[in-house]
Amino acid sequence: MAEAHQAVAFQFTITPEGIDLRLSYQALSQIYLSGLRSWKKRISRMKNRVIKGVYPASPSSWLFVFIATLAAMYTRSDLSMGLIAKIREHLPVSLSVQGQTVVSVLVFSTLLWLSLILTLRFCLKLLLSYHRWMFEQHGHISATTKLWVTLVRLMSGRKPLLYSYQTSLPCLPVPPIKDTLERYLESVRPLLSDPEFQRMTALAAQFEETLGNRLQRYLKLKALWATNYVSDWWEEYIYLRGRGPIMVNSNYYGMDFLYVTPTPVQAARAGNTITALLLYRRKVNSEHRVPGTVVPLCAAQCERMFNTTRTPGEETDVLQHWQDSEFVAVFHRGRFFRLWVYNAGRLLSPREIEYQIQRILDDPSMPRPGESRLGALTAGDRVPWYNVRKQYFSSGVNKRSLDCIEKAAFFVTLDDDEQGMKGEDPAGNLDRYAKSLLHGKCYDRWFDKSFSVVVYKNGKSGLNAEHSWADAPTVAHLWEYTLATDAFQLGYTEDGHCKGEVERCLSPPQRLSWEIPKEVQEQVSVSLSVAQALADDVDCHVFPFRDFGKGRIKKLKISPDAFIQLALQLAYYRDRKTFCLTYEASMTRLFREGRTETVRSCSNQSCAFVKAMEYLCGTCRRLFQLATEKHQNLYRLAMTGSGIDRHLFCLYVVSKYLGVESPFLTEVLSEPWRLSTSQTPVQQLELFDMKNHPDFISLGGGFGPVADDGYGVSYIIVGEDMINYHVSCKRSFSETDSHRFGVHIRQALLDIFSMLTAVKPEVPQEQDKKQQ
């Protein structure tokens, strides 16, 4: 829209008398207001930079230091211990005595203020390096931790911005290599036979004595120099250097409410959803999002949430981020549109966005040759997409249209299908809903965008997120806010439309133009066939578990996550008659630029418990207690920088840079994760009124299987009485079945709960005497 206004802002014609210039004052006014918004954002960013730059002090504290120092000088008390006098000696003689005093005090107080800021920041970093609070028993807080909480609150100030803590967060420590190797060997012990374990122990010992310490020194050097010794390599080598499809293999999805669809009107749901997402972007840009409760978390992942895309490369992809974007890209029935969401610097109302979306839905035009399935290029292999993009999308109309998609705030798909739980087959509908969000038709999502929103014909919605720029908790926070704002704050009229008025003079959404030659169409077909084969191979099963939830689990004084993880171990053993290397994602955002670490949930203790359950051993309760305690300790170690897998991964990267081979690292990094699990956290309970609106329950989200012969399991603990599960596997491997595994999970949960709540039968006294 801004481009259209600029195009008609002035017109001129050449006449014999000269140039006849005709200005459109209305258009110029629109341009002025749009530019005003940009300048307001720049000023806001500058203000936030100043506030963050002096945190944990405040800008106003400088004035206090200056006045206090100046007052001390006039009362003949030299707080500077002679430094002010030395500063005065270097000032121009032309200044008066009073002027020299003020300037020297100004310089000294500023230096003192900056020194105090650095001291406060250093103290806060030391405080945030304390993690013993995580290892304390629930409900029993030590005096040290209470004092620590008090000091953190005092040092943090009243209103920190989203990125205020970034420079005060500690760096991720490099664990001692001996500790990492010991924990690794302990984690694989239940998976190996005695000869295999002895061989692996010998490999680890040889690695530690020879190459390990050399690699460790390089890693410690990087940790001293870089803000995080893991994250940049993790982003590049795990995500961006992958040359296969990111659809299914990397991208993940988030679902709508389980039982409720706020409106059946597709355009209205899109209007509120887009508005809610843009309101969240405003909170991120203004940094009015809280970075944590008592303990701050790293917010670096929020920086690339919007206006970001992953562009393909020959050897590695690149994440491109733009500072701002006033439009979103929309896909409907094979056509692409640019939808401006600001008018003269004002965010359109939900009703106005609905009106614009309805214009797209009512547009009768047909896709141009090769346009309808163009999105399949982002779903197939990366190198062909790079080659096509470089040759056919680097100039002209194709570049302009591709720029509109890549520079958009996010991508929106208006899907002609209907999804959700309702219908004659609720369970099957949920499974189809999950598959639709995970891959769709393989060409109706733009998988390179940081995230794509999907709004279905019946008003159901969902989200597909690209993984390299951030992890699931960051996207989950965004999606929680979107769902809550849509349903409880923006709301709908009685007939299901968005609230607000419509300015009818809004320019219509701009249809993107393409010139797709035959060579590109052929590559689109190849990419689509690759993506379609991958999509057809995925088997998804989604089910809500409502027999009990975290409320009854906590009454047993057990960690809900540990309970669920042990149930997954039991379910996998019953499904495959063996144990496997298990991946559970945990975060390391207590550290600067922290992302994730692996909790190896399959342990000696969990295997002992599973075997006891299977063979009805009388020590199940005691073994269960030991297994849950072990799991919680592993989780805490992972969160506090003492995990196994990121350390070994970085040692492996260093070995590759040095050109040396390590049989131990090669074997460790090639081990398959046949059970990959992740919990979707509920982070903003205050947004959802579960008491008055119990049906507004989120389904969470899921992901594809990591191993060809394994399972991917995501779960979300909702409220006190519900756990939602997302299970995935590949149909091409005959021994895995997501529905069968779902049955095993449900039964494992029930069996463990029954075992823990069962009352041991008491032997009557008379019978007891006879037995004696």
Side-chain angles (χ1 to χ4, degrees):
M1 189 187 301
E3 290 178 0
H5 283 314
Q6 290 173 14
V8 299
F10 66 91
Q11 299 174 7
F12 67 90
T13 55
I14 300 176
T15 66
E17 291 77 20
I19 297 176
D20 180 18
L21 182 65
R22 296 190 300 275
L23 296 175
S24 169
Y25 291 101
Q26 182 181 3
L28 288 173
S29 174
Q30 299 285 322
I31 294 170
Y32 165 75
L33 292 172
S34 182
L36 192 63
R37 171 182 174 267
S38 298
W39 277 105
K40 283 181 178 178
K41 288 191 70 175
R42 290 178 188 176
I43 293 170
S44 176
R45 287 195 196 103
M46 289 175 61
K47 176 186 171 185
N48 288 342
R49 284 195 192 106
V50 172
I51 295 173
K52 287 181 297 183
V54 303
Y55 188 83
S58 64
S60 59
S61 62
W62 173 85
L63 187 61
F64 174 79
V65 174
F66 173 70
I67 293 173
T69 308
L70 191 62
M73 287 295 297
Y74 280 105
T75 57
R76 299 176 184 263
S77 260
D78 188 4
L79 298 176
S80 70
M81 301 175 67
L83 285 175
I84 290 177
K86 291 200 172 189
I87 294 171
R88 190 185 299 159
E89 291 174 3
H90 293 81
L91 294 177
V93 183
S94 57
L95 284 174
S96 64
V97 175
Q98 188 175 6
Q100 288 180 341
T101 301
V102 171
V103 172
S104 58
V105 169
L106 182 68
V107 173
F108 171 77
S109 57
T110 301
L111 292 173
L112 177 61
W113 180 63
L114 292 173
S115 301
L116 288 172
I117 289 171
L118 293 174
T119 304
L120 289 172
R121 195 173 288 171
F122 177 74
C123 292
L124 184 57
K125 182 175 283 192
L126 287 179
L127 286 171
L128 296 178
S129 299
Y130 171 80
H131 297 129
R132 294 307 305 169
W133 58 273
M134 290 194 66
F135 295 86
E136 293 180 354
Q137 189 177 353
H138 183 69
H140 296 81
I141 304 174
S142 66
T144 304
T145 298
K146 289 179 181 178
L147 176 62
W148 171 78
V149 170
T150 304
L151 291 173
V152 169
R153 284 177 173 167
L154 286 173
M155 295 283 292
S156 298
R158 290 184 299 170
K159 293 181 179 179
L161 297 174
L162 177 60
Y163 303 116
S164 290
Y165 287 101
Q166 291 303 101
T167 54
S168 300
L169 288 171
C171 294
L172 184 68
V174 181
I177 194 166
K178 183 178 180 64
D179 293 352
T180 297
L181 295 177
E182 287 178 355
R183 291 184 186 124
Y184 168 77
L185 291 172
E186 183 185 2
S187 72
V188 297
R189 183 64 190 93
L191 308 175
L192 303 175
S193 63
D194 290 342
E196 289 172 334
F197 183 72
Q198 289 173 4
R199 184 184 66 84
M200 186 56 73
T201 302
L203 274 177
Q206 182 186 17
F207 171 72
E208 183 182 1
E209 292 170 3
T210 55
L211 185 60
N213 288 319
R214 179 186 170 195
L215 301 179
Q216 180 80 344
R217 284 193 292 273
Y218 280 99
L219 213 52
K220 286 185 175 180
L221 184 63
K222 186 193 176 188
L224 288 173
W225 177 253
T227 51
N228 190 295
Y229 81 92
V230 175
S231 293
D232 58 338
W233 286 349
W234 185 256
E235 181 179 295
E236 180 178 359
Y237 293 107
I238 297 301
Y239 295 117
L240 297 179
R241 280 191 178 249
R243 300 295 80 199
I246 60 176
M247 184 198 78
V248 175
N249 293 327
S250 179
N251 287 30
Y252 53 95
Y253 65 88
M255 281 186 164
D256 197 1
F257 295 117
L258 176 58
Y259 299 113
V260 174
T261 305
T263 176
V265 182
Q266 185 178 19
R269 190 72 196 280
N272 266 9
T273 300
I274 292 171
T275 302
L277 288 166
L278 294 170
L279 290 175
Y280 189 90
R281 184 177 70 165
R282 181 183 292 173
K283 288 170 71 74
V284 171
N285 288 343
S286 63
E287 301 186 33
H288 287 155
R289 239 199 71 193
V290 181
T293 51
V294 175
V295 183
L297 302 177
C298 178
Q301 294 180 36
C302 297
E303 295 173 354
R304 299 180 294 186
M305 186 176 291
F306 297 92
N307 331 318
T308 299
T309 195
R310 172 176 174 167
T311 56
E314 189 170 15
E315 294 182 355
T316 181
D317 291 353
V318 176
L319 280 172
Q320 287 190 290
H321 172 73
W322 289 267
Q323 197 70 41
D324 193 20
S325 177
E326 295 192 346
F327 56 88
V328 297
V330 182
F331 178 88
H332 177 243
R333 290 184 183 172
R335 304 157 306 163
F336 294 87
F337 296 84
R338 171 160 57 179
L339 171 60
W340 294 95
V341 291
Y342 284 87
N343 180 28
R346 172 186 66 85
L347 177 63
L348 299 184
S349 70
R351 185 71 182 87
E352 287 174 325
I353 295 179
E354 177 191 349
Y355 174 71
Q356 296 289 70
I357 292 291
Q358 192 61 52
R359 280 177 156 183
I360 294 174
L361 294 172
D362 295 338
D363 189 323
S365 62
M366 299 298 292
R368 294 181 177 87
E371 180 184 12
S372 62
R373 299 186 176 185
L374 194 62
L377 291 169
T378 68
D381 292 323
R382 304 303 291 173
V383 175
W385 172 209
Y386 160 75
N387 291 329
V388 167
R389 187 178 189 275
K390 181 181 179 182
Q391 185 172 356
Y392 298 100
F393 292 86
S394 58
S395 62
V397 64
N398 286 348
K399 184 182 188 306
R400 290 193 293 272
S401 294
L402 183 61
D403 282 347
C404 287
I405 295 174
E406 294 185 337
K407 293 180 180 179
F410 48 87
F411 193 81
V412 180
T413 295
L414 302 174
D415 203 309
D416 273 347
D417 293 338
E418 295 187 358
Q419 298 292 347
M421 187 177 179
K422 293 182 179 179
E424 297 180 358
D425 181 19
N429 288 342
L430 279 181
D431 299 345
R432 285 184 283 273
Y433 182 20
K435 276 183 67 67
S436 175
L437 288 173
L438 185 61
H439 54 69
K441 297 181 180 69
C442 302
Y443 58 80
D444 54 352
R445 318 278 189 260
W446 200 266
F447 295 100
D448 286 356
K449 285 299 290 181
S450 54
F451 65 90
S452 300
V453 177
V454 184
V455 183
Y456 294 98
K457 190 175 182 179
N458 59 343
K460 215 69 184 168
S461 70
L463 170 142
N464 182 287
E466 201 276 316
H467 209 324
S468 63
W469 64 274
D471 301 307
T474 301
V475 177
H477 196 284
L478 162 73
W479 193 236
E480 279 178 5
Y481 177 89
T482 302
L483 291 177
T485 303
D486 169 23
F488 302 124
Q489 294 184 28
L490 299 176
Y492 299 89
T493 60
E494 291 183 0
D495 55 354
H497 291 283
C498 295
K499 298 177 181 178
E501 301 297 326
V502 179
E503 188 178 313
R504 299 287 175 179
C505 64
L506 293 173
S507 299
Q510 177 188 355
R511 174 82 185 274
L512 301 186
S513 299
W514 306 92
E515 293 177 359
I516 312 298
K518 185 179 178 182
E519 295 82 1
V520 175
Q521 294 183 39
E522 289 174 354
Q523 182 54 57
V524 167
S525 298
V526 173
S527 295
L528 182 59
S529 63
V530 171
Q532 195 65 59
L534 182 59
D536 292 342
D537 196 23
V538 176
D539 182 30
C540 292
H541 180 46
V542 180
F543 65 95
F545 180 82
R546 304 215 63 166
D547 294 76
F548 58 85
K550 72 173 183 181
R552 295 178 71 181
I553 296 173
K554 282 186 173 181
K555 286 181 180 178
L556 299 172
K557 297 182 179 180
I558 297 167
S559 160
D561 185 70
F563 185 100
I564 292 169
Q565 284 292 327
L566 285 172
L568 290 174
Q569 289 297 313
L570 179 57
Y572 187 88
Y573 187 82
R574 288 173 173 175
D575 186 79
R576 300 294 306 279
K577 307 305 178 187
T578 186
F579 296 106
C580 72
L581 197 61
T582 305
Y583 183 111
E584 182 188 4
S586 73
M587 69 167 186
T588 56
R589 288 172 63 202
L590 294 171
F591 303 95
R592 189 172 179 182
E593 294 184 14
R595 292 202 58 163
T596 61
E597 179 57 275
T598 306
V599 180
R600 294 179 167 232
S601 300
C602 182
S603 62
N604 289 316
Q605 290 80 355
S606 67
C607 293
F609 162 71
V610 168
K611 289 177 180 178
M613 280 292 290
E614 283 298 271
Y615 301 112
L616 302 175
C617 177
T619 59
C620 285
R621 290 192 186 191
R622 184 178 63 82
L623 292 174
F624 180 80
Q625 186 68 30
L626 292 173
T628 55
E629 289 174 358
K630 179 64 176 179
H631 180 269
Q632 284 182 276
N633 189 56
L634 289 173
Y635 204 99
R636 291 162 179 161
L637 287 170
M639 287 187 67
T640 53
S642 297
I644 300 169
D645 290 276
R646 299 303 177 269
H647 186 199
L648 293 175
F649 162 76
C650 287
L651 290 171
Y652 180 76
V653 173
V654 174
S655 73
K656 289 300 178 182
Y657 277 131
L658 295 177
V660 294
E661 289 294 328
S662 166
F664 171 74
L665 289 176
T666 301
E667 188 163 340
V668 169
L669 270 294
S670 63
E671 292 171 343
W673 300 98
R674 292 192 173 89
L675 182 56
S676 181
T677 71
S678 178
Q679 179 185 169
T680 304
V682 179
Q683 304 166 76
Q684 304 167 90
L685 286 171
E686 70 279 1
L687 296 180
F688 298 91
D689 186 356
M690 300 298 293
K691 185 176 181 180
N692 296 320
H693 302 283
D695 289 340
F696 284 80
I697 294 171
S698 173
L699 266 171
F703 53 88
V706 174
D708 292 340
D709 57 349
Y711 291 106
V713 180
S714 176
Y715 54 93
I716 179 171
I717 302 171
V718 185
E720 298 293 311
D721 304 305
M722 186 175 182
I723 307 169
N724 286 328
Y725 283 91
H726 301 251
V727 183
S728 66
C729 66
K730 291 193 174 181
R731 292 191 174 103
S732 55
F733 187 71
S734 60
E735 295 181 30
T736 55
D737 184 283
S738 63
H739 292 73
R740 186 185 71 218
F741 194 53
V743 172
H744 285 312
I745 292 173
R746 185 186 296 275
Q747 193 58 52
L749 290 166
L750 293 171
D751 288 348
I752 293 175
F753 189 79
S754 177
M755 177 271 296
L756 293 173
T757 55
V759 179
K760 292 182 179 180
E762 294 184 4
V763 181
Q765 290 184 358
E766 293 182 2
Q767 185 178 350
D768 188 32
K769 289 179 182 178
K770 289 179 181 178
Q771 288 177 353
Q772 290 178 356

